[in-house]
Amino acid sequence: MKKAILKLKDGKEFCGVPFGAEINLDCAEVVFNTGIPGYEEILTDPSYKGQIVNLTSPMIGNYGITKKDGESDSVKVTALIVKKLYKGKVMNGRLTLDEYLKKEGIPAIEGIDTRALTIHLRENGSQNGILFYEEDRKEAEEKLASYPSITELDLINEVSVKETRYNPSLGEGWTNPPSNPDKHFALVDYGIKKSIIDNFYKRNIAVTLLPSKANAEDVLKTNANCLFLSNGPGDPSLLKDAVSLAKECIGKITVQGICLGHQIITLALGAKTVKMKFGHHGSNQPVKDLDTGKVFVTAQNHGFMSNEKTLPNNVKVWMRNANDNTVEGLYSKELNVYSVQFHPEAGPGPEDALWLFDFFKERAK
């Protein structure tokens, strides 16, 4: 069996067995995800664009793949790392993980010590990496040495819609758009997950999905009740147009956001964001609502966060991560702005935070 190598920017190497598509020598930031189920949603989450994902669950692939459950229409990760690939049969109508990755053109590696890799990333930070065969070592090492950090890459254009869509269909297995909506959200797409739109549809909210290049005029002429900024990949500080959009709309319309949208709102309010050492990636992150004192389990996928010390006085910290005390939510009643860093849509993960979609609907004027 041919061997493959994962090499990190700091020189650390792990050897394993390739599966999925042929290795293509693409570099990306290596991160770890601590979720147990949900590999299909993780693979198709646009927020993972530009990243190689290491799954800490010991066996992956046992329930196969059905494309209708994906969070977007294609795999967005650069490559996948697992400890053990399930090679048995899957239910009729489903693809095996190996078949799916071959079809999607995504390389993967199994058999490495994913626990050791996770500990290394925790201690040394998320960093660029590359998969290669030994015979390609020289080319791979040259690519890795020169590949830019994720803080230098604008990944949004690769995952956003290119034109405005009203109530886009999500396809088989998802909620249909409302025919007689109660409210209307202008939703800017920086790499949105289908389950976010699905949760708006379930609450009878119409959606105008706008491309990432949308400006304030584009948003305001929709006559929506709310500007909602989506999740997405990369460094929010690179998104000058997105920050300008949010800044211009704050005070004129309700502004809300999830994940990257939360970070864009942070910047629009005049505060700063910072890169985390290894981020939060998984479906088991505890978050405390500081207003109610309640703690709930959340799904998360982010490598950047709000710098609390830079927040203006009229913005309140709403949520905190119960593990490391980082900011997980902000609001300003004065400005009618609300945002959360985590993913309340439970795709994949717990349903503890689904109430936030009702909250977002109530606050939209």
Side-chain angles (χ1 to χ4, degrees), residues 274-304:
V274 294
K275 193 176 191 303
M276 304 172 76
K277 186 174 182 180
F278 49 83
H280 296 151
H281 309 276
S283 54
N284 44 13
Q285 291 281 335
V287 167
K288 183 175 183 178
D289 183 332
L290 301 183
D291 286 350
T292 66
K294 292 182 179 179
V295 176
F296 43 94
V297 180
T298 69
Q300 302 201 13
N301 177 20
H302 64 103
F304 297 83

Side-chain angles (χ1 to χ4, degrees), residues 333-354:
K333 291 183 179 179
E334 173 191 340
L335 299 172
N336 205 16
V337 173
Y338 303 87
S339 65
V340 293
Q341 179 61 79
F342 52 90
H343 283 269
E345 67 277 4
E351 298 184 352
D352 296 32
L354 283 176

Side-chain angles (χ1 to χ4, degrees), residues 123-134:
E123 292 177 347
N124 299 279
S126 298
Q127 57 191 281
N128 285 341
I130 190 170
L131 292 180
F132 63 93
Y133 301 119
E134 184 59 47

Side-chain angles (χ1 to χ4, degrees), residues 20-22 24 26 75 77-78 99-107:
E22 277 296 309
N24 49 21
D26 283 343
V75 174
V77 304
T78 299
E99 290 170 336
Y100 179 61
L101 293 178
K102 280 184 169 69
K103 184 178 179 181
E104 291 283 320
I106 303 298

